Amino acid sequence: MMTQPATGRAARLEDVAALAGVSTATASKALHNKPRISEETKQRVLDAAKQLNYSPNKLAQSLARGTTGTIGLVTSDLQGRFSTPILIGAENELRAQSTSVLLANARGDAALERQHVEKLLSLKVDGLLIVQCETNPRPTLGHDWGVPLVYVYGPSTDPKDCSVTCDNVDAGRMAINHLISCGRRHIAIIGGDETYTAATDRTKGALEALSELGIEPAGPIRYGKWDEGWGRAATRLLLDQGVTFDAVVCQNDQLARGCIDALKQQGLRIPDDVAVIGHDNWSVLTSSSRPALTSIDNETETIGRRAARYLVDAIDGNPHHGVDYVPCHLIQRESTLPLD
């Protein structure tokens, strides 16, 4: 009769093999889904492993596979505003794999990015996450590194690469549909920097949503800087030109804060007279805004988790290709309450 290991000792592969009535080599093959193992034997080994709460020795597995259990993350985000939650998401995904992350900051410099990649590879990382600070497509680093690469936030232009980013087109749709659901019909749009695909993608989604309802945007769509100053200036232009509007989509939260300031200076109430929505869900701004700002979260932690999962898959010999667009998520606060 097979028995479980003594209390206080973690189960070993030998214990799983003994409980399943197979050799240690067979147990190992079954747990690693190797060929030439019958389904009945494999299931018996899996049942034994579950019964014993068996946890494989990750270090031994790494040595056997010739891997180190580390990955590299190269970021171009100086402030960490986007790369920090991406890193947190990646680490949460990798924790169960007992995989460590080595972080390097390329500071937006393509040459330095390549140096960091080479340095991390000299440290024998099993794969690399390449993180951008914006969603603009970027050139590939190529495919001759000997380990898989996954591009995060800023997708690679090479369809053979694996990239993960947020769905800014759908986020633009989401902003309009939310304001419509709040009873608004005269919706202005304040754009960010037009050289960023985040701005043009969010505009594309917003205009598609308006078009489907047979509605034109209130006033012209103007682009400028991603800061509160442009948010105030663009709002004053709408007011000075006599544009009728009961809601404003601002393409980031800084623009929204500037917009709210300008509306208040004109004696307008938010959201009673004008509803305001932002993008990015930057808590520093959304929570301190008065009223608290409705915004669309880019799901950067989810992007980090998914990118890490794809990288692990690639390390295991199952690579993904193309761009995966992660849906954004709207967080409603007081700046867009429905009309009575």
Side-chain angles (χ1 to χ4, degrees), residues 32 93 152 277:
H32 291 89
E93 178 66 28
V152 193
I277 186 170

Side-chain angles (χ1 to χ4, degrees), residues 176-188:
I176 295 296
N177 290 333
H178 173 67
L179 292 171
I180 294 293
S181 74
C182 290
R184 314 295 168 148
R185 291 296 182 274
H186 306 286
I187 303 171

Side-chain angles (χ1 to χ4, degrees), residues 107-126:
R107 300 182 294 198
D109 184 322
L112 183 57
E113 178 185 68
R114 202 168 188 90
Q115 289 175 25
H116 282 318
V117 168
E118 292 171 352
K119 177 62 177 177
L120 288 165
L121 289 174
S122 75
L123 297 173
K124 307 298 183 185
V125 295
D126 300 327

Side-chain angles (χ1 to χ4, degrees), residues 184-264:
R184 314 295 168 148
R185 291 296 182 274
H186 306 286
I187 303 171
I189 299 170
I190 297 177
D193 187 335
E194 197 172 9
T195 65
Y196 286 70
T197 58
T200 54
D201 282 351
R202 288 168 183 175
T203 297
K204 181 176 186 289
L207 291 178
E208 285 176 355
L210 287 169
S211 176
E212 287 170 4
L213 296 166
I215 300 173
E216 293 288 331
I221 300 173
R222 298 184 176 93
Y223 295 95
K225 296 181 178 179
W226 294 106
D227 59 25
E228 292 187 32
W230 172 238
R232 285 190 291 271
T235 305
R236 284 195 294 267
L237 282 170
L238 289 169
L239 293 166
D240 292 347
Q241 293 174 355
V243 175
T244 299
F245 61 97
D246 58 9
V248 185
V249 174
C250 298
Q251 291 188 338
N252 80 350
D253 297 329
Q254 289 156 288
L255 294 171
R257 282 285 296 271
C259 173
I260 287 173
D261 286 347
L263 292 172
K264 285 182 175 179

